[in-house]
Each structure stands twice: as structure tokens, then as C-alpha cells.
Amino acid sequence: AQSLSVGPGHGGNEAAFPAIPAYRARLKSTSVEHGTGRKAAGSACLGPSGYYPSEGEGGGRPAPRPVTTLISKSAGLDSVPSSPQAPRAALPLQHDAQMDYYGTRLATCSSDRSVKIFDVRNGGQILIADLRGHEGPVWQVAWAHPMYGSLLASCSYDRKVVVWKEESGTWEKTHEHTGHDSSVNSVCWAPHDYGLILACGSSDGAISLLTYTGEGQWEAKKINNAHTIGCNAVSWAPAVVPGSLIDQPSGQKPNYIKKFASGGCDNLIKLWKEEEDGQWKEEQKLEAHSDWVRDVAWAPSIGLPTSTIASCSQDGRVFIWTCDDASGSTWSPKLLHKFNDVVWHVSWSITANILAVSGGDNKVTLWKESVDGQWVCISDVNKGQGSVSASATESQQNEQ
């Protein structure tokens, strides 16, 4: 895999979005700068936290959890091209960085309201697009599956979700969703098997499902009051029926049921399922965290009987949730680790055997389940230093 999405750190642009004194102390300057040669951990880009209270904009709701991407060195990103648009000291903070399906392009977003796309083939770092369409900090970006063309979604504090499309080498805004009353904190494309569907979580507590219906038209459905105070993260379940690798008769078309997980400021993880009438219903409510859930990540699957979800929280804990029954009604949490600071982001490797974790301790750690069912840290990266502990590297080599 060219990229592992993980998360961490603090950050904010105090000049553009003055924070009230109570929260200003939470802002740090350890994030990677958007479009500059500065980096974190040699291969990690980190993002925002806290609040961006602003009169008449975003309703003063909490900003999303910061996000980073852990990019493998094979991506060739030792640095990002310099930006001539502002003096170094005034450059905004980068909030998210995501590789596309083929690992040839990198999309980033930041507090300067921009989305930038870089060509990173053959170790290069060429800025190929600077997309302007948001009116506030852009929190997150997400690439759609390439079978639908070059599509990129972005969400912002300005309450908007924008879908960008590349045609003949030119990127343009193809759709703008303005159905939320507050900051939109998370966007996630559904598995391509379901069609072109985008889930969006907002600080207004609602989750929107945007579906492309053809001829440039999008249909929007909204789950109101999905999370009290706000929704921080959304993650789709894989388009694989649990146990189908073992039980599915050959040649029979699988019965896909659309599901996704969400995490919110009510300390809950909720699982949502699409009913036969097309409406979305809360299927499960998972309780284990004692503070805001900052991120959720549904693990990829090849059809084994067990479904797995990772969650992290303001309480510093990361849980691994597993479900072994076919009905999907019984989920059991297992504490992966209790960190000494907030955990911002979790992300699975493409094979779902390694979990990347990032948080306020300024570290990116990689975890793997051992044969006895215990989760072991196999890599410990200090942001800004690019160093991986020798013991972790040796452990990986031994396991390989």
C-alpha cells in the first residue's frame, strides 16, 4: 500500500480563525505546513484540533479531529514543494493528506482554504492543481475509486462538501453540497461496488449520504441527530459478506447490505444499515469510550467470519471491536492501548493486519495482533524526527 491514513497532533491558524483564550493554549505549531518543505516524522503530515469559534460561520461548533497520512518512503515524499504564496511564518497548517488509488498523486488540504494535488510519481513532487472553492479551513479529502474517473471530495469548516473532477487535465468543481448547518468534519466514499456514494459527518450532529444518480445529478439523504453535539468520523463497512469466503456458494451473487460506522461527541460509535426502503437505520450502539470519539475505522475484509472496527477517543484509549456472529448483533471491545494523550486517528493497512495510530503524544505507532490475540506495537515513529525504533524494525523483519 502506498499510504496509511493515521492521525495526530494539534494545530490551527490563529490569524485566520482567532480562537477564544480558553482554547488557544491547545493550539501547537508542530504540524506540517501546506505546500512547504517542512514535514513531520519524515513521512507524516499532521493536522488540526480544538475549536475555531467564529461569529456567523460554522455555528461555533467543534472542529474535527486532526488527521495525518503516513506515507511510505516509496512514495518519494521527502518534502513537499515550496509555496510562493505567503511568507514561511504565515503559512497555514495542513490538515489532511491522502494518496490516490494508484499511489501516484497526493491530495492535501489546509487552513488556507485550499486543496492541492501533487504528482508524486518516480520520486517527483510536482504541484498539478490548486483548488479553491471553500470559505474556511478544509479538514479532510477523500479519493473516489478510479472506475468513476478522477474524483476527489473535500469537507470544510464552511459547512460545505465539494466534489472535484478532473477532465482533460483540468480540475473543476462538479458538485457542492450545502445541506449542513455547521462544520463538516469527515468524508468517506463507499466501496465502489455500491456505486458513487459519499458519507459526510458534521458538527451539527447529522450525517449526509450523497449518491450520484447520473447526468451530473446527486441525491442527498440525511440522518438527523446521528450524534449529540456532533459527528467526528465516518467509515464504511467493506462490501464483503462476513463468512462469504467460507460459506458463499460459487457463482451466487452476494447479498450486499450497505453499512457504515460513525463516531461522535456523545462518546459513542454507531453502526448504520440501509433498509430495503432505502432509509438508514441505527443498527448498533457501541459504548466503551468515556470522552469524544475522534475516529473510527472499519477494517477491510476478504470474507472471513469476523468483522473488525477500530476506534480512538479523547480519553486516550484505542479499542478493537470484533463481531463473530452472522447477524452482526454482538460486538466485543478489546483495549489495544491506553495512551497518555488524546488519540486523533486510526487506520488499517489494506490487508487489515496492521493498525496505524496517531495522537497528541506526537507519535505514530503501528500495531499488529500476535498469535495469542494480544496487540503488539511493532513501530514507533516520532513526528518531526523520521526515526523508527530499531526494535520495531527488527520485529517487522523477523515477522516477515
Side-chain angles (χ1 to χ4, degrees), residues 83-99:
S83 168
Q85 299 172 352
R88 188 177 190 83
L91 285 169
L93 299 176
Q94 178 174 306
H95 297 317
D96 194 18
Q98 295 289 335
M99 303 292 286

Side-chain angles (χ1 to χ4, degrees), residues 180-195:
H180 286 284
D181 300 323
S182 192
S183 171
V184 183
N185 302 329
S186 181
V187 286
C188 184
W189 292 101
H192 65 88
D193 313 70
Y194 298 152

Side-chain angles (χ1 to χ4, degrees), residues 39-57:
K39 58 184 179 177
S43 59
C45 306
L46 59 119
S49 76
Y51 293 72
Y52 286 90
S54 177
E55 293 182 6
E57 193 170 9

Side-chain angles (χ1 to χ4, degrees), residues 340-397:
N340 294 325
D341 208 332
V342 54
V343 183
W344 291 114
H345 205 61
V346 288
S347 181
W348 294 99
S349 65
I350 195 169
T351 53
N353 64 333
I354 295 176
L355 182 71
V357 180
S358 182
D361 59 359
N362 286 332
K363 289 184 179 181
V364 176
T365 54
L366 302 182
W367 299 77
K368 188 172 184 178
E369 189 176 18
S370 61
V371 292
D372 61 356
Q374 299 302 310
W375 286 86
V376 179
C377 181
I378 61 171
S379 176
D380 188 336
V381 181
N382 289 310
K383 294 188 187 70
Q385 298 177 11
S387 60
V388 181
S389 63
S391 59
T393 305
E394 291 170 2
S395 173
Q396 286 177 294
Q397 292 174 346

